[in-house]
Amino acid sequence: MFAIIDCNQFYVSCERVFNPKLENKPVLILSNNDGCVIASSPEAKQLGVKMGAPVFKIRELISKYHMEVYSSNYALYGDMSKRVMDTLRSFSPDIEVYSIDEAFLNVSGLDRQYGSWERLGHQLRTKVRQWTGVPTRVGIAPTKTLTKIGIHLAKKNGESVCVLKDENSIKKALKSIPVEDIWGIGRQYAAFLYQSGIKNAYHFSQAEENWVKQHMSVVGLRLHHELRGLSCLPLETISEHANKKMIGSSRSFIKPICHLVELKEALATYCTRVGEKLRKQQSCANYVTVYIRTNRFKDVDHQYANAQTIQLPVATDNTPELIHYAFQALDIIYREGYRYKKAGVLVGGLVPAYTCQQNLFDNENRQKHIKSMQAMDIINAKMGRFVVRSAAMGYRNSGETIRGKVSNKYTSDWEEIIEVGA
DNA sequence: TCTGGGGTCCTAGGACCC
DNA sequence: TCTGGGGTCCTAGGACCC
């Protein structure tokens, strides 16, 4: 048996833990640059705020109902997430941290320990709430996909725990879930399924296996099995997927960028972040991809988007080297005369740093580079991000982002710790 | 005026090997 | 007239997730 624990409007809940005035009020959390809504309280949803809504389109709504609006505070959310996960670990060490706000747990046998699956579900919620302040929903079922169905059902019925264990309860649940709400069915597949007369999860579970495989590959087939109670998606515990297979950094610009130099400065900044992430997980990259694009929402602008991948001669985690090749890639795809809105850097082909294959004709002094990167990471960790930086990043600050109102780093910075007083 | 950022997995097809 | 069979590796592109 699996359980999924899903935090309710996680970012909003994190803010509410440290600012109880926000309880029962419409609260919005915004994306980078305060561009769009990425989390909202039920009160805000009820007033018509949709997930992903651009802020400028709902300004009236915000002021009319005096909504509380916050920029995202990932230092806080990340730390709160860790607390939630630690709490869950006290129930079972068999945990898959699936995202910042949800986790799967292997709960086999725990029904006896807690009396019933329902009681286990409520215990999970209660403890997380008590230890972290974050409200959650719990789904318990024989497969991961069915636990997700359970969460949907709970949301729909305004409940907090949903157990799907016998054929009847599963069948009933599947009938009430439209195909597009199945975990793993996105827009494309949903449209295709509707065309084929399959409207809800139950219809899908009754479809012919070969037909599913033919049109939706093994991914679809696994979902099909999972909905029928046959577990195909194992718990992926931390150790198995601790290391990322691809690492990236990208930003949308506040104002469009029209000059190559400015794009280069932005890319140098992204390469710096990517380099830091690489060294943190002790990986080296074999290729680097750069992409740039204009504002796709602006019809009047001429549109251009392109990407270029460069194979590196030797796998590296060295920031200046990443920057060097990123610039090469940019030179290939850059076109003058466009207003660029977004750029990004991706690295892939990651290998463990200690197994990096050397190149016979490589004349870089790699040991020296490794030491200089180590020194840079240590200084920046102590003195602040980007205190030591590549000149290529420039000092133009075109990489700056807008953050209107952001709460304190209550849990990760002594300067910003919450004060309790008169 | 103003629309986020960061990931995973699978498949088909090309290039290559014996 | 007739030209095999079995395999690996890599990449681009498509689908999906939070």
Side-chain angles (χ1 to χ4, degrees):
Chain A
M1 285 296 268
F2 296 90
I4 187 167
I5 296 86
D6 184 298
C7 300
N8 305 348
Q9 322 87 230
F10 183 57
Y11 298 168
V12 173
S13 298
C14 289
E15 300 292 348
R16 281 178 170 168
V17 169
F18 295 92
N19 188 355
K21 279 191 313 205
L22 300 179
E23 292 290 346
N24 306 316
K25 283 192 186 162
V27 183
L28 308 183
I29 312 294
L30 307 186
S31 69
N32 219 334
N33 284 335
D34 292 349
C36 45
V37 177
I38 54 170
S40 57
S41 68
E43 296 80 2
K45 286 193 181 92
Q46 212 162 32
L47 294 170
V49 176
K50 295 256 179 351
M51 170 70 178
V55 175
F56 72 91
K57 282 190 180 172
I58 56 166
R59 286 245 185 268
E60 274 182 34
L61 212 58
I62 291 174
S63 59
K64 183 173 173 191
Y65 294 107
H66 307 288
M67 297 190 182
E68 298 279 350
V69 182
Y70 286 82
S71 308
S72 32
N73 179 354
Y74 287 103
L76 178 67
Y77 311 150
D79 190 67
M80 291 299 285
S81 170
K82 197 169 150 291
R83 295 176 182 211
V84 170
M85 302 310 166
D86 285 343
T87 308
L88 296 177
R89 253 180 221 107
S90 72
F91 284 83
S92 166
D94 247 354
I95 183 175
E96 172 183 347
V97 177
Y98 180 67
S99 74
I100 194 165
D101 73 337
E102 57 192 298
F104 291 103
L105 224 53
N106 177 0
V107 292
S108 302
L110 292 189
D111 56 330
R112 266 162 286 153
Q113 192 179 326
Y114 288 87
S116 71
W117 293 118
E118 283 75 10
R119 286 176 68 161
L120 168 67
H122 287 287
Q123 268 300 306
L124 281 161
R125 291 192 72 233
T126 307
K127 206 173 213 180
V128 171
R129 183 71 194 243
Q130 191 181 346
W131 287 11
T132 70
V134 175
T136 56
R137 282 194 183 86
V138 177
I140 298 178
T143 72
K144 282 161 75 173
T145 308
L146 284 172
T147 65
K148 282 285 210 176
I149 297 279
I151 292 285
H152 259 286
L153 203 61
K155 263 181 207 172
K156 215 158 142 177
N157 300 338
E159 288 162 359
S160 49
V161 174
C162 177
V163 178
L164 300 174
K165 56 189 172 196
D166 55 276
E167 226 171 285
N168 271 338
S169 64
I170 292 174
K171 187 170 169 183
K172 202 174 146 208
L174 293 183
K175 283 187 173 173
S176 72
I177 302 289
V179 279
E180 67 267 28
D181 287 347
I182 302 172
W183 185 46
I185 304 284
R187 276 226 305 275
Q188 306 295 323
Y189 282 147
F192 165 73
L193 289 172
Y194 271 100
Q195 269 174 25
S196 313
I198 293 176
K199 299 194 174 83
N200 63 41
Y202 181 71
H203 290 155
F204 181 64
S205 74
Q206 297 305 303
E208 225 261 302
E209 273 186 29
N210 283 329
W211 182 85
V212 173
K213 168 101 197 274
Q214 193 191 333
H215 292 97
M216 301 171 70
S217 83
V218 300
V219 181
L221 193 57
R222 278 200 292 250
L223 284 181
H224 185 263
H225 285 330
E226 285 248 324
L227 290 178
R228 298 170 70 101
L230 183 64
S231 179
C232 301
L233 302 171
L235 208 65
E236 290 176 30
T237 52
I238 304 264
S239 54
E240 286 165 52
H241 69 157
N243 279 354
K244 305 236 183 301
K245 295 171 178 162
M246 185 177 275
I247 288 175
S249 177
S250 64
R251 288 290 178 278
S252 297
F253 310 127
I254 302 169
K255 276 190 249 160
I257 285 183
C258 304
H259 301 288
L260 185 60
V261 254
E262 284 181 76
L263 271 184
K264 285 192 166 176
E265 290 180 2
L267 285 184
T269 309
Y270 308 150
C271 285
T272 303
R273 281 202 201 93
V274 166
E276 286 170 359
K277 292 187 200 175
L278 276 173
R279 294 191 294 275
K280 194 168 174 201
Q281 81 161 33
Q282 297 183 33
S283 294
C284 284
N286 270 300
Y287 62 81
V288 49
T289 303
V290 166
Y291 62 90
I292 51 177
R293 68 161 313 119
T294 51
N295 189 342
R296 65 199 158 105
F297 296 106
K298 222 165 175 185
D299 303 338
V300 291
D301 276 9
H302 290 169
Q303 296 291 322
Y304 176 65
N306 208 346
Q308 178 70 44
T309 300
I310 301 246
Q311 187 77 37
L312 304 177
V314 177
T316 188
D317 60 0
N318 179 261
T319 299
E321 206 179 351
L322 292 174
I323 294 175
H324 174 81
Y325 289 105
F327 283 6
Q328 267 190 13
L330 179 64
D331 284 332
I332 295 170
I333 53 176
Y334 179 76
R335 301 280 180 277
E336 233 169 280
Y338 290 101
R339 295 153 59 80
Y340 293 98
K341 178 64 177 169
K342 183 172 181 179
V345 172
L346 281 167
V347 294
L350 304 192
V351 291
Y354 51 85
T355 64
C356 282
Q357 179 70 51
Q358 299 292 304
N359 185 313
L360 185 57
F361 304 107
D362 184 30
N363 47 20
E364 298 273 336
N365 185 342
R366 306 227 160 246
Q367 286 308 314
K368 197 172 96 188
H369 289 323
I370 290 172
K371 282 193 176 149
S372 65
M373 285 298 103
Q374 279 172 351
M376 196 171 91
D377 288 339
I378 291 170
I379 295 171
N380 286 342
K382 211 182 252 178
M383 311 297 290
R385 177 165 244 188
F386 300 159
V387 167
V388 182
R389 52 201 253 150
S390 293
M393 287 167 61
Y395 281 90
R396 210 185 301 263
N397 281 335
S398 48
E400 248 180 355
T401 54
I402 294 175
R403 292 179 103 195
K405 179 174 175 189
V406 49
S407 54
N408 286 352
K409 296 179 204 138
Y410 296 110
T411 64
S412 57
D413 188 337
W414 288 112
E415 301 296 318
E416 301 186 15
I417 200 165
I418 198 161
E419 284 178 35
V420 182

mmCIF file of all heavy atoms in Angstrom, chain A residues 267-279 316-326 369 372-373 376-377 386 388-390 392-393:
data_model
loop_
_atom_site.group_PDB
_atom_site.id
_atom_site.type_symbol
_atom_site.label_atom_id
_atom_site.label_comp_id
_atom_site.label_asym_id
_atom_site.label_seq_id
_atom_site.Cartn_x
_atom_site.Cartn_y
_atom_site.Cartn_z
ATOM 1 N N LEU A 267 23.560 35.167 -19.727
ATOM 2 C CA LEU A 267 23.973 33.765 -19.865
ATOM 3 C C LEU A 267 25.124 33.434 -18.926
ATOM 4 O O LEU A 267 25.181 32.347 -18.354
ATOM 5 C CB LEU A 267 24.387 33.471 -21.309
ATOM 6 C CG LEU A 267 23.247 33.332 -22.321
ATOM 7 C CD1 LEU A 267 23.803 32.953 -23.690
ATOM 8 C CD2 LEU A 267 22.232 32.300 -21.871
ATOM 9 N N ALA A 268 26.055 34.379 -18.763
ATOM 10 C CA ALA A 268 27.176 34.140 -17.850
ATOM 11 C C ALA A 268 26.653 33.915 -16.436
ATOM 12 O O ALA A 268 27.154 33.063 -15.698
ATOM 13 C CB ALA A 268 28.145 35.322 -17.887
ATOM 14 N N THR A 269 25.628 34.664 -16.067
ATOM 15 C CA THR A 269 25.023 34.495 -14.744
ATOM 16 C C THR A 269 24.396 33.115 -14.609
ATOM 17 O O THR A 269 24.558 32.432 -13.596
ATOM 18 C CB THR A 269 23.947 35.573 -14.500
ATOM 19 O OG1 THR A 269 24.520 36.850 -14.789
ATOM 20 C CG2 THR A 269 23.448 35.542 -13.071
ATOM 21 N N TYR A 270 23.672 32.668 -15.645
ATOM 22 C CA TYR A 270 23.036 31.345 -15.591
ATOM 23 C C TYR A 270 24.091 30.246 -15.531
ATOM 24 O O TYR A 270 23.934 29.262 -14.794
ATOM 25 C CB TYR A 270 22.114 31.112 -16.797
ATOM 26 C CG TYR A 270 21.109 32.227 -17.022
ATOM 27 C CD1 TYR A 270 20.640 32.528 -18.292
ATOM 28 C CD2 TYR A 270 20.642 32.984 -15.959
ATOM 29 C CE1 TYR A 270 19.731 33.543 -18.493
ATOM 30 C CE2 TYR A 270 19.738 34.000 -16.154
ATOM 31 C CZ TYR A 270 19.292 34.290 -17.424
ATOM 32 O OH TYR A 270 18.396 35.306 -17.627
ATOM 33 N N CYS A 271 25.188 30.431 -16.298
ATOM 34 C CA CYS A 271 26.273 29.437 -16.276
ATOM 35 C C CYS A 271 26.860 29.355 -14.872
ATOM 36 O O CYS A 271 27.246 28.279 -14.405
ATOM 37 C CB CYS A 271 27.378 29.807 -17.264
ATOM 38 S SG CYS A 271 26.934 29.495 -18.976
ATOM 39 N N THR A 272 26.944 30.497 -14.206
ATOM 40 C CA THR A 272 27.493 30.520 -12.853
ATOM 41 C C THR A 272 26.612 29.700 -11.910
ATOM 42 O O THR A 272 27.105 28.888 -11.136
ATOM 43 C CB THR A 272 27.593 31.971 -12.352
ATOM 44 O OG1 THR A 272 28.386 32.701 -13.283
ATOM 45 C CG2 THR A 272 28.200 32.032 -10.966
ATOM 46 N N ARG A 273 25.291 29.893 -12.010
ATOM 47 C CA ARG A 273 24.362 29.107 -11.179
ATOM 48 C C ARG A 273 24.474 27.629 -11.505
ATOM 49 O O ARG A 273 24.514 26.780 -10.613
ATOM 50 C CB ARG A 273 22.916 29.546 -11.440
ATOM 51 C CG ARG A 273 22.543 30.806 -10.722
ATOM 52 C CD ARG A 273 21.022 30.895 -10.573
ATOM 53 N NE ARG A 273 20.644 32.271 -10.346
ATOM 54 C CZ ARG A 273 20.299 33.120 -11.301
ATOM 55 N NH1 ARG A 273 20.252 32.717 -12.561
ATOM 56 N NH2 ARG A 273 19.992 34.353 -11.017
ATOM 57 N N VAL A 274 24.499 27.332 -12.802
ATOM 58 C CA VAL A 274 24.581 25.938 -13.231
ATOM 59 C C VAL A 274 25.874 25.299 -12.715
ATOM 60 O O VAL A 274 25.869 24.176 -12.217
ATOM 61 C CB VAL A 274 24.491 25.839 -14.770
ATOM 62 C CG1 VAL A 274 24.920 24.472 -15.259
ATOM 63 C CG2 VAL A 274 23.068 26.130 -15.231
ATOM 64 N N GLY A 275 26.981 26.039 -12.809
ATOM 65 C CA GLY A 275 28.264 25.540 -12.309
ATOM 66 C C GLY A 275 28.184 25.221 -10.825
ATOM 67 O O GLY A 275 28.639 24.165 -10.376
ATOM 68 N N GLU A 276 27.562 26.121 -10.078
ATOM 69 C CA GLU A 276 27.405 25.891 -8.636
ATOM 70 C C GLU A 276 26.617 24.612 -8.368
ATOM 71 O O GLU A 276 26.977 23.799 -7.528
ATOM 72 C CB GLU A 276 26.679 27.076 -7.980
ATOM 73 C CG GLU A 276 27.540 28.317 -7.824
ATOM 74 C CD GLU A 276 26.731 29.546 -7.402
ATOM 75 O OE1 GLU A 276 25.487 29.441 -7.254
ATOM 76 O OE2 GLU A 276 27.341 30.606 -7.230
ATOM 77 N N LYS A 277 25.511 24.454 -9.099
ATOM 78 C CA LYS A 277 24.671 23.263 -8.899
ATOM 79 C C LYS A 277 25.437 21.995 -9.271
ATOM 80 O O LYS A 277 25.304 20.968 -8.600
ATOM 81 C CB LYS A 277 23.399 23.360 -9.751
ATOM 82 C CG LYS A 277 22.431 24.454 -9.301
ATOM 83 C CD LYS A 277 21.126 24.334 -10.104
ATOM 84 C CE LYS A 277 20.306 25.609 -10.097
ATOM 85 N NZ LYS A 277 19.120 25.515 -10.968
ATOM 86 N N LEU A 278 26.195 22.070 -10.361
ATOM 87 C CA LEU A 278 26.981 20.907 -10.788
ATOM 88 C C LEU A 278 27.965 20.498 -9.704
ATOM 89 O O LEU A 278 28.069 19.331 -9.335
ATOM 90 C CB LEU A 278 27.771 21.235 -12.062
ATOM 91 C CG LEU A 278 27.052 21.095 -13.396
ATOM 92 C CD1 LEU A 278 27.933 21.627 -14.521
ATOM 93 C CD2 LEU A 278 26.693 19.641 -13.665
ATOM 94 N N ARG A 279 28.704 21.478 -9.195
ATOM 95 C CA ARG A 279 29.726 21.152 -8.200
ATOM 96 C C ARG A 279 29.081 20.651 -6.919
ATOM 97 O O ARG A 279 29.618 19.794 -6.234
ATOM 98 C CB ARG A 279 30.612 22.382 -7.940
ATOM 99 C CG ARG A 279 31.438 22.781 -9.160
ATOM 100 C CD ARG A 279 32.490 23.818 -8.838
ATOM 101 N NE ARG A 279 31.930 25.107 -8.454
ATOM 102 C CZ ARG A 279 31.559 26.062 -9.321
ATOM 103 N NH1 ARG A 279 31.669 25.862 -10.628
ATOM 104 N NH2 ARG A 279 31.080 27.203 -8.888
ATOM 105 N N THR A 316 32.902 18.917 -17.778
ATOM 106 C CA THR A 316 33.420 19.934 -16.859
ATOM 107 C C THR A 316 32.358 20.447 -15.893
ATOM 108 O O THR A 316 31.159 20.328 -16.149
ATOM 109 C CB THR A 316 33.981 21.137 -17.652
ATOM 110 O OG1 THR A 316 34.643 22.026 -16.758
ATOM 111 C CG2 THR A 316 32.862 21.879 -18.350
ATOM 112 N N ASP A 317 32.821 21.024 -14.767
ATOM 113 C CA ASP A 317 31.946 21.745 -13.854
ATOM 114 C C ASP A 317 32.530 23.142 -13.619
ATOM 115 O O ASP A 317 32.176 23.819 -12.678
ATOM 116 C CB ASP A 317 31.804 20.986 -12.527
ATOM 117 C CG ASP A 317 33.133 20.803 -11.816
ATOM 118 O OD1 ASP A 317 34.177 21.265 -12.348
ATOM 119 O OD2 ASP A 317 33.151 20.195 -10.730
ATOM 120 N N ASN A 318 33.409 23.529 -14.520
ATOM 121 C CA ASN A 318 34.149 24.781 -14.374
ATOM 122 C C ASN A 318 33.359 25.934 -14.992
ATOM 123 O O ASN A 318 33.061 25.929 -16.190
ATOM 124 C CB ASN A 318 35.511 24.609 -15.068
ATOM 125 C CG ASN A 318 36.348 25.863 -14.998
ATOM 126 O OD1 ASN A 318 36.387 26.620 -15.955
ATOM 127 N ND2 ASN A 318 36.976 26.091 -13.868
ATOM 128 N N THR A 319 33.022 26.918 -14.162
ATOM 129 C CA THR A 319 32.157 28.006 -14.622
ATOM 130 C C THR A 319 32.711 28.756 -15.844
ATOM 131 O O THR A 319 31.989 28.916 -16.829
ATOM 132 C CB THR A 319 31.866 28.983 -13.465
ATOM 133 O OG1 THR A 319 31.186 28.269 -12.427
ATOM 134 C CG2 THR A 319 31.009 30.134 -13.927
ATOM 135 N N PRO A 320 33.953 29.225 -15.808
ATOM 136 C CA PRO A 320 34.457 29.956 -16.977
ATOM 137 C C PRO A 320 34.383 29.129 -18.262
ATOM 138 O O PRO A 320 34.111 29.662 -19.343
ATOM 139 C CB PRO A 320 35.917 30.245 -16.613
ATOM 140 C CG PRO A 320 35.942 30.235 -15.136
ATOM 141 C CD PRO A 320 34.925 29.221 -14.708
ATOM 142 N N GLU A 321 34.597 27.821 -18.133
ATOM 143 C CA GLU A 321 34.536 26.980 -19.321
ATOM 144 C C GLU A 321 33.094 26.878 -19.835
ATOM 145 O O GLU A 321 32.845 26.947 -21.042
ATOM 146 C CB GLU A 321 35.087 25.588 -18.986
ATOM 147 C CG GLU A 321 35.650 24.882 -20.192
ATOM 148 C CD GLU A 321 36.220 23.518 -19.863
ATOM 149 O OE1 GLU A 321 36.328 23.182 -18.654
ATOM 150 O OE2 GLU A 321 36.539 22.777 -20.804
ATOM 151 N N LEU A 322 32.146 26.727 -18.911
ATOM 152 C CA LEU A 322 30.737 26.693 -19.311
ATOM 153 C C LEU A 322 30.373 27.987 -20.029
ATOM 154 O O LEU A 322 29.698 27.984 -21.060
ATOM 155 C CB LEU A 322 29.837 26.504 -18.090
ATOM 156 C CG LEU A 322 29.923 25.156 -17.373
ATOM 157 C CD1 LEU A 322 29.086 25.182 -16.094
ATOM 158 C CD2 LEU A 322 29.441 24.034 -18.294
ATOM 159 N N ILE A 323 30.857 29.101 -19.475
ATOM 160 C CA ILE A 323 30.552 30.400 -20.081
ATOM 161 C C ILE A 323 31.127 30.469 -21.494
ATOM 162 O O ILE A 323 30.453 30.884 -22.436
ATOM 163 C CB ILE A 323 31.118 31.558 -19.214
ATOM 164 C CG1 ILE A 323 30.381 31.600 -17.869
ATOM 165 C CG2 ILE A 323 31.009 32.882 -19.938
ATOM 166 C CD1 ILE A 323 30.939 32.619 -16.891
ATOM 167 N N HIS A 324 32.369 30.012 -21.628
ATOM 168 C CA HIS A 324 33.036 30.046 -22.931
ATOM 169 C C HIS A 324 32.193 29.346 -23.995
ATOM 170 O O HIS A 324 31.937 29.889 -25.068
ATOM 171 C CB HIS A 324 34.409 29.384 -22.804
ATOM 172 C CG HIS A 324 35.137 29.228 -24.093
ATOM 173 N ND1 HIS A 324 35.849 30.255 -24.676
ATOM 174 C CD2 HIS A 324 35.246 28.164 -24.933
ATOM 175 C CE1 HIS A 324 36.370 29.831 -25.813
ATOM 176 N NE2 HIS A 324 36.028 28.556 -25.993
ATOM 177 N N TYR A 325 31.739 28.131 -23.686
ATOM 178 C CA TYR A 325 31.000 27.360 -24.692
ATOM 179 C C TYR A 325 29.567 27.871 -24.859
ATOM 180 O O TYR A 325 28.997 27.790 -25.941
ATOM 181 C CB TYR A 325 31.040 25.872 -24.356
ATOM 182 C CG TYR A 325 32.425 25.307 -24.591
ATOM 183 C CD1 TYR A 325 33.278 25.009 -23.526
ATOM 184 C CD2 TYR A 325 32.895 25.120 -25.890
ATOM 185 C CE1 TYR A 325 34.556 24.525 -23.745
ATOM 186 C CE2 TYR A 325 34.171 24.634 -26.113
ATOM 187 C CZ TYR A 325 35.001 24.339 -25.040
ATOM 188 O OH TYR A 325 36.265 23.879 -25.275
ATOM 189 N N ALA A 326 29.005 28.401 -23.783
ATOM 190 C CA ALA A 326 27.665 28.994 -23.897
ATOM 191 C C ALA A 326 27.711 30.172 -24.874
ATOM 192 O O ALA A 326 26.806 30.344 -25.696
ATOM 193 C CB ALA A 326 27.171 29.442 -22.526
ATOM 194 N N HIS A 369 42.016 24.835 -12.206
ATOM 195 C CA HIS A 369 40.627 25.294 -12.303
ATOM 196 C C HIS A 369 39.800 24.758 -11.137
ATOM 197 O O HIS A 369 38.967 25.464 -10.582
ATOM 198 C CB HIS A 369 40.001 24.807 -13.616
ATOM 199 C CG HIS A 369 40.547 25.512 -14.816
ATOM 200 N ND1 HIS A 369 40.877 26.836 -14.803
ATOM 201 C CD2 HIS A 369 40.830 25.065 -16.064
ATOM 202 C CE1 HIS A 369 41.329 27.194 -15.995
ATOM 203 N NE2 HIS A 369 41.318 26.122 -16.780
ATOM 204 N N SER A 372 40.462 26.788 -8.088
ATOM 205 C CA SER A 372 39.911 28.144 -8.099
ATOM 206 C C SER A 372 38.395 28.115 -7.902
ATOM 207 O O SER A 372 37.821 28.977 -7.235
ATOM 208 C CB SER A 372 40.289 28.869 -9.393
ATOM 209 O OG SER A 372 39.695 28.250 -10.498
ATOM 210 N N MET A 373 37.725 27.092 -8.454
ATOM 211 C CA MET A 373 36.274 26.978 -8.261
ATOM 212 C C MET A 373 35.961 26.678 -6.786
ATOM 213 O O MET A 373 35.026 27.219 -6.218
ATOM 214 C CB MET A 373 35.692 25.861 -9.138
ATOM 215 C CG MET A 373 35.570 26.207 -10.600
ATOM 216 S SD MET A 373 34.456 27.590 -10.958
ATOM 217 C CE MET A 373 35.625 28.876 -11.254
ATOM 218 N N MET A 376 36.280 29.799 -4.871
ATOM 219 C CA MET A 376 35.167 30.698 -5.149
ATOM 220 C C MET A 376 33.907 30.256 -4.398
ATOM 221 O O MET A 376 33.219 31.080 -3.784
ATOM 222 C CB MET A 376 34.899 30.716 -6.654
ATOM 223 C CG MET A 376 34.055 31.868 -7.098
ATOM 224 S SD MET A 376 34.000 31.995 -8.899
ATOM 225 C CE MET A 376 32.579 31.002 -9.232
ATOM 226 N N ASP A 377 33.630 28.954 -4.428
ATOM 227 C CA ASP A 377 32.432 28.454 -3.739
ATOM 228 C C ASP A 377 32.508 28.730 -2.240
ATOM 229 O O ASP A 377 31.513 29.091 -1.613
ATOM 230 C CB ASP A 377 32.275 26.946 -3.988
ATOM 231 C CG ASP A 377 31.829 26.655 -5.421
ATOM 232 O OD1 ASP A 377 31.278 27.568 -6.056
ATOM 233 O OD2 ASP A 377 32.044 25.522 -5.885
ATOM 234 N N PHE A 386 27.753 35.473 -5.422
ATOM 235 C CA PHE A 386 28.326 36.309 -6.475
ATOM 236 C C PHE A 386 29.290 37.372 -5.949
ATOM 237 O O PHE A 386 29.576 38.343 -6.636
ATOM 238 C CB PHE A 386 27.245 36.999 -7.316
ATOM 239 C CG PHE A 386 26.312 36.052 -8.017
ATOM 240 C CD1 PHE A 386 25.067 36.472 -8.442
ATOM 241 C CD2 PHE A 386 26.681 34.728 -8.243
ATOM 242 C CE1 PHE A 386 24.198 35.598 -9.094
ATOM 243 C CE2 PHE A 386 25.823 33.856 -8.894
ATOM 244 C CZ PHE A 386 24.579 34.292 -9.319
ATOM 245 N N VAL A 388 32.451 36.792 -5.342
ATOM 246 C CA VAL A 388 33.474 36.548 -6.357
ATOM 247 C C VAL A 388 32.734 36.061 -7.586
ATOM 248 O O VAL A 388 31.952 35.110 -7.500
ATOM 249 C CB VAL A 388 34.469 35.458 -5.919
ATOM 250 C CG1 VAL A 388 35.547 35.269 -6.983
ATOM 251 C CG2 VAL A 388 35.094 35.837 -4.595
ATOM 252 N N ARG A 389 32.968 36.731 -8.709
ATOM 253 C CA ARG A 389 32.184 36.378 -9.883
ATOM 254 C C ARG A 389 32.986 36.535 -11.157
ATOM 255 O O ARG A 389 34.030 37.173 -11.172
ATOM 256 C CB ARG A 389 30.941 37.250 -9.946
ATOM 257 C CG ARG A 389 31.282 38.738 -9.840
ATOM 258 C CD ARG A 389 30.087 39.512 -9.390
ATOM 259 N NE ARG A 389 29.507 40.292 -10.466
ATOM 260 C CZ ARG A 389 28.216 40.587 -10.541
ATOM 261 N NH1 ARG A 389 27.386 40.144 -9.633
ATOM 262 N NH2 ARG A 389 27.749 41.309 -11.521
ATOM 263 N N SER A 390 32.458 35.969 -12.223
ATOM 264 C CA SER A 390 33.100 36.119 -13.524
ATOM 265 C C SER A 390 32.848 37.525 -14.043
ATOM 266 O O SER A 390 31.733 38.039 -13.931
ATOM 267 C CB SER A 390 32.518 35.123 -14.518
ATOM 268 O OG SER A 390 32.856 33.823 -14.145
ATOM 269 N N ALA A 392 32.500 38.248 -16.918
ATOM 270 C CA ALA A 392 31.525 38.127 -18.005
ATOM 271 C C ALA A 392 30.104 38.434 -17.556
ATOM 272 O O ALA A 392 29.244 38.771 -18.364
ATOM 273 C CB ALA A 392 31.589 36.718 -18.598
ATOM 274 N N MET A 393 29.858 38.312 -16.248
ATOM 275 C CA MET A 393 28.505 38.592 -15.754
ATOM 276 C C MET A 393 28.180 40.076 -15.797
ATOM 277 O O MET A 393 27.010 40.466 -15.793
ATOM 278 C CB MET A 393 28.336 38.083 -14.319
ATOM 279 C CG MET A 393 28.234 36.581 -14.221
ATOM 280 S SD MET A 393 28.420 35.982 -12.526
ATOM 281 C CE MET A 393 27.049 36.788 -11.720
#
